Amino acid sequence: MMNDLVDQDCVMNLASFVGSSLFACDVSRRTDVRTNTRRGIGGERRRSVRFRSRTTPGLCAGGGNIISGGKGFSGGRGGDDGGGVGIVKEVQAGQQLSIPRRKRILMLMSDTGGGHRASAQALKAALDELYPDKVDVQIVDVFAELSGPFFRSIPEQYNFLMKHPTLWRVTYAGGQFWPTRQLAQRTYMFMNFNRLKEAFLSFEPDMIVSVHPLCQGPPLAVLNRLGIRDRVTFVTVVTDLGGANPTWFHSGVDRCYVPTQHLWDYAKRYKMKDHQLRQYGLPIRRMFWSDAPDSTLLRRRLGLKLNIPVVLVVGGGAGVGSLHKVAVTVARRIEQEEGPYGAQIVVVCGKNEKLREKLLFEEWPIPVKVTGFVSNMSEYMAAANCIITKAGPGTIAESLVRGLPIVLSGYLPGQEYGNVKFVRENGVGNYGKGAREIADLVCSLLGDPDEMAAMSKRAKDLGRPGASYDIAKSVGQVRALESHGKIYWIWLPRFFNEHLLLCCG
């Protein structure tokens, strides 16, 4: 499908070849009067090739792609096998030259919680791996990078509300009403329309992928006002599991990926059609795409004891929640019921350095390892027997892939309550209200190895390690990634009425 895409470096080689003989090569994406360059989103220089005659210009008409084959100028024979190129077509004066370029995918998210960026990075990694040198994926925080002063602080506002669940409950409840949502979106559009417009015109995306509930309505409205909606494919990837904000579901998108049947049914309530929906699971980080090594090997590598169960305690990347109280209570209860070597605990504090230092000076009745932010969470999960975590969808999805029984220590009112129901109804874990109840649930699992094994099997069956790949493959089948190139014009001298033979390779 994408075998006709050509690396941009090859386009530059073609420009140099032609420019050295007859033409002046003007390299730019969008021409700037003073600098003749334009920076894309994030300050990245983006280039295209325009050829202009040094002498008499003549308008080109007609068409024809002179490059065949799909993986750059690697020699060999062109064709559907993508074995490279040898040129091969004559271009007459007055003809236009079509040179395919990488397809541009703009991924919209916001750091309101760590899951949205993690999902975006997982999808980017899968797209880059499936379509090497054929896609240009850029991840953008809509609020922090593309919004004005008030909306720019939304990630910080969210982090504040996350530490005050009652305030979050009120905020989330207000967003459930259609008039409130419309007012918020219209206010955002009034204050940030020009910023979104400039971003879209600068990057010129072939596709926009949203992995955030607030990135559907405003971007689609901007595309419609610019009159380019029919040329830009819009895709939503829902990153919640058991419940979701209604703003995830916009009937104007081309495709919407949901992780569960419950959210499929929920999307249908908001007038989405079956042909718009796909269900592959939640996109998770690359480290969870393949099977983990043997748990004994991992425990030795991580400095854990080999022959006693491991209880993993996490609180998200920010290390929020009452981790200290939970860890201490669970450790003491295990020592009382199972003995000093009934289990060992690993506490992952994330970026919360104060909590890590506090736990390091704690006197523990059982073996406990305290760590900060880790980049090998997959290994810790594979080495563990169960996990204590808040009800974030990403951590739940990754725990399922590693077959971990889940004890939920807390949830944000609103969308995360649905994740609690998801875990309970599928028999892969439970929710403990308070440190004592969490300790009771953990000890009941440790005291019943058969139930823990059954719960682990159910979790493994429910996990979707290939979700990121499956979504990326499906994205690659929509029209924005089809092999049709961008047109670059060649201006030929009028006297050059014969044929110009371009040989590249």
Side-chain angles (χ1 to χ4, degrees):
M1 173 186 58
M2 297 178 62
N3 284 344
D4 288 46
L5 292 173
V6 177
D7 193 288
Q8 291 180 354
D9 290 338
C10 301
V11 176
M12 298 309 300
N13 292 336
L14 175 60
S16 300
F17 170 77
V18 180
S20 63
S21 55
L22 287 172
F23 307 105
C25 182
D26 171 21
V27 180
S28 63
R29 177 141 189 260
R30 260 175 159 354
T31 303
D32 183 288
V33 174
R34 293 170 298 177
T35 64
N36 208 33
T37 60
R38 177 92 172 215
R39 287 185 180 273
I41 296 173
E44 216 179 299
R45 286 187 184 273
R46 305 195 174 279
R47 306 182 298 175
S48 63
V49 182
R50 195 176 338 158
F51 298 93
R52 189 180 302 278
S53 170
R54 284 194 180 123
T55 57
T56 311
L59 179 64
C60 300
N65 188 349
I66 65 167
I67 299 177
S68 59
K71 296 187 178 179
F73 298 99
S74 58
R77 301 178 62 183
D80 293 337
D81 59 355
V85 228
I87 285 243
V88 213
K89 281 194 183 179
E90 296 180 344
V91 180
Q92 294 186 1
Q95 228 177 355
Q96 71 180 14
L97 174 65
S98 175
I99 302 176
R101 62 160 170 81
R102 293 185 184 188
K103 298 303 178 181
R104 297 189 179 96
I105 301 177
L106 186 60
M107 209 164 285
L108 304 179
M109 48 71 65
S110 181
D111 283 317
T112 51
H116 301 297
R117 183 174 291 277
S119 293
Q121 291 171 338
L123 289 173
K124 182 182 186 304
L127 285 165
D128 287 340
E129 190 168 314
L130 285 168
Y131 309 111
D133 301 321
K134 297 184 174 103
V135 293
D136 178 8
V137 183
Q138 188 152 347
I139 300 173
V140 176
D141 188 322
V142 166
F143 299 119
E145 298 178 60
L146 303 182
S147 300
F150 176 76
F151 288 93
R152 193 178 299 148
S153 63
I154 280 184
E156 289 75 20
Q157 296 174 33
Y158 177 84
N159 291 333
F160 173 80
L161 292 171
M162 191 165 54
K163 297 174 184 177
H164 300 82
T166 302
L167 292 177
W168 171 254
R169 185 193 304 272
V170 174
T171 304
Y172 185 86
Q176 302 304 297
F177 298 101
W178 183 85
T180 309
R181 295 198 302 270
Q182 288 298 307
L183 177 61
Q185 292 190 14
R186 288 177 183 274
T187 303
Y188 179 84
M189 284 288 289
F190 176 76
M191 299 177 68
N192 299 285
F193 173 81
N194 287 331
R195 290 180 174 87
L196 285 180
K197 180 185 74 173
E198 285 298 317
F200 293 166
L201 292 178
S202 173
F203 190 68
E204 292 183 3
D206 297 291
M207 173 184 285
I208 293 177
V209 178
S210 167
V211 293
H212 194 277
L214 302 182
C215 294
Q216 274 65 236
L220 283 168
V222 172
L223 293 176
N224 283 319
R225 288 196 192 180
L226 291 175
I228 59 174
R229 174 65 186 91
D230 60 331
R231 290 180 292 166
V232 179
T233 300
F234 199 102
V235 168
T236 297
V237 180
V238 180
T239 58
D240 283 319
L241 277 174
N245 194 301
T247 54
W248 274 116
F249 308 109
H250 195 294
S251 59
V253 304
D254 295 294
R255 190 163 294 176
C256 180
Y257 296 90
V258 294
T260 61
Q261 183 62 43
H262 176 73
L263 290 190
W264 180 296
D265 297 336
Y266 195 60
K268 295 290 290 294
R269 288 170 52 188
Y270 288 92
K271 300 181 180 179
M272 300 205 71
K273 308 299 182 184
D274 286 337
H275 74 270
Q276 293 176 294
L277 297 171
R278 299 290 187 277
Q279 181 184 333
Y280 293 116
L282 194 79
I284 55 177
R285 293 175 286 180
R286 179 193 289 272
M287 66 181 79
F288 291 92
W289 295 356
S290 57
D291 292 335
D294 179 70
S295 61
T296 302
L297 176 65
L298 289 175
R299 289 185 183 185
R300 185 176 289 112
R301 183 188 303 172
L302 298 171
L304 302 175
K305 297 187 179 300
L306 303 183
N307 299 318
I308 60 177
V310 177
V311 178
L312 182 62
V313 183
V314 301
V320 299
S322 55
L323 282 186
H324 180 270
K325 186 175 182 180
V326 169
V328 170
T329 304
V330 170
R332 290 173 180 172
R333 182 65 59 82
I334 290 174
E335 193 272 336
Q336 291 172 2
E337 297 195 10
E338 304 293 333
Y341 292 97
Q344 58 190 318
I345 296 177
V346 176
V347 185
V348 180
C349 301
K351 299 176 182 177
N352 192 332
E353 279 298 310
K354 290 183 179 179
L355 173 64
R356 188 180 73 87
E357 292 176 4
K358 186 176 181 180
L359 289 171
L360 284 173
F361 288 100
E362 189 74 36
E363 293 185 5
W364 298 100
I366 63 173
V368 174
K369 178 177 179 177
V370 178
T371 182
F373 184 84
V374 299
S375 57
N376 58 338
M377 181 59 77
S378 173
E379 294 184 351
Y380 278 101
M381 285 190 177
N385 296 89
C386 67
I387 185 171
I388 301 172
T389 178
K390 73 182 192 69
T395 305
I396 292 174
E398 291 170 352
S399 300
L400 296 177
V401 168
R402 290 293 174 247
L404 282 180
I406 302 168
V407 177
L408 297 175
S409 58
Y411 64 91
L412 279 178
Q415 75 274 20
E416 286 190 355
Y417 175 69
N419 300 338
V420 176
K421 293 180 63 178
F422 174 83
V423 167
R424 282 174 162 172
E425 291 173 358
N426 285 283
V428 295
N430 212 330
Y431 167 68
K433 188 176 181 180
R436 292 184 179 180
E437 192 170 334
I438 291 169
D440 290 340
L441 291 172
V442 170
C443 287
S444 67
L445 284 173
L446 295 174
D448 191 348
D450 291 339
E451 174 58 23
M452 182 183 283
M455 195 175 289
S456 177
K457 183 180 183 306
R458 289 193 293 269
K460 193 81 171 177
D461 293 342
L462 198 59
R464 302 291 291 271
S468 301
Y469 251 66
D470 292 338
I471 294 172
K473 286 179 183 177
S474 179
V475 164
Q477 295 169 359
V478 300
R479 62 185 175 89
L481 296 187
E482 289 174 356
S483 176
H484 57 279
K486 183 176 181 178
I487 301 301
Y488 298 89
W489 295 94
I490 291 186
W491 301 87
L492 298 177
R494 291 186 184 278
F495 65 85
F496 199 79
N497 292 321
E498 299 300 325
H499 297 82
L500 172 67
L501 179 63
L502 297 178
C503 295
C504 305

